[in-house]
Amino acid sequence: LLKSTTSLLNRLTLPTLPPSTVSFLHLLSSHPTSDVESTLWTAVYKHLGRGGEEGGKGGKEGTDVNTNNDTTTTTTTTSTSKRFLTDLLRNVASLVRSLTALSSSSNSSSGSTIGTFVVEKVAGLFLEGMEGLDGGLSSLPSPSSSGAGTLGNALVLLSYLYNFSVAHKVLVFDVLRRLLRSLSDIRPPSHPSSSSSSTLNDDDSDDDDGQRSRPSTTPRARRIAHATTVTGMVLLIAQHAGRQIIQDDGECLPLVRDQCQSVLSCLSSSGGGGGGGGGDDDDGDVDLGLSLLRFNVSAIGDVSHARGRRNVPAVRELDEKVGECRKAVRHVVGSGSGKGGGKG
């Protein structure tokens, strides 16, 4: 079963979505649904751990370290790998949506829970990745670590599950809220908080017993690395799901941008806005970290409204591909490809 599932995923593209959907429906009809769901997740998870999408400009760190003629080749390979992984995760979300819709339309229990299963797995992976943030800044994975890469890739998959109405908007807004809340670890107590909209209003903001905002015990460079990693994750969601977020709540992304800008302003000031441990910082690390953080915050601002998204070619291409996938899913569902074996 794993071999068949992996083979289907490796061949999964937008043109092959109809026959791939039929093949997966055949697997669902000939194996227990729980076995197919767990096997599909096992195959997808292997791709999530491959890096590629790691959030913002920081995700590319480590690919340009060579100064010889191999640099261009390495960068091109990394970019190609990232594009392949993004396409794969988008297609996986399209497949899950097709399977869920076809199973529901045919009144079949096979595959009807696969969307819920995948969403729960992605949400669990996100919570697992956020455990480092719960433990404090010292346990936060660096932007170039495999843990950060897996978490970033999971957020990309979640974004497309949300784009295709498999994951509910409440979950995506909860994820954004959680990421923004983690930034309070590096904001001084005296720093004003941004106003919040109904969508991102965190009713649990008082549940931390005053344990947030600990700048005096964490070196400034570490706080900047923390903010860079978190804003990189936010940027991934804004890039891949921003268009749908804007449709659901036009105030959400501007609010996210303002809160990230507030953190950047805090860290850009002398000593990071009242943070101690400045003597332990390396000026080079601080300057590089602030540069990456500024890039992330600026990029979030660029994609926080519809007009801005159209002015960013890469993001405009992402939005166009989402539209193409939606059309493909509607074609699969409308033609009832799963009935009678279809073509394939």
Side-chain angles (χ1 to χ4, degrees), residues 132-156:
L133 296 178
D134 290 334
L137 296 176
S138 60
S139 59
L140 178 74
S142 65
S144 59
S145 70
S146 59
T150 300
L151 178 55
N153 293 332
L155 292 178
V156 172

Side-chain angles (χ1 to χ4, degrees), residues 26 71 208 267 341:
H26 286 166
T71 302
D208 295 318
L267 290 173

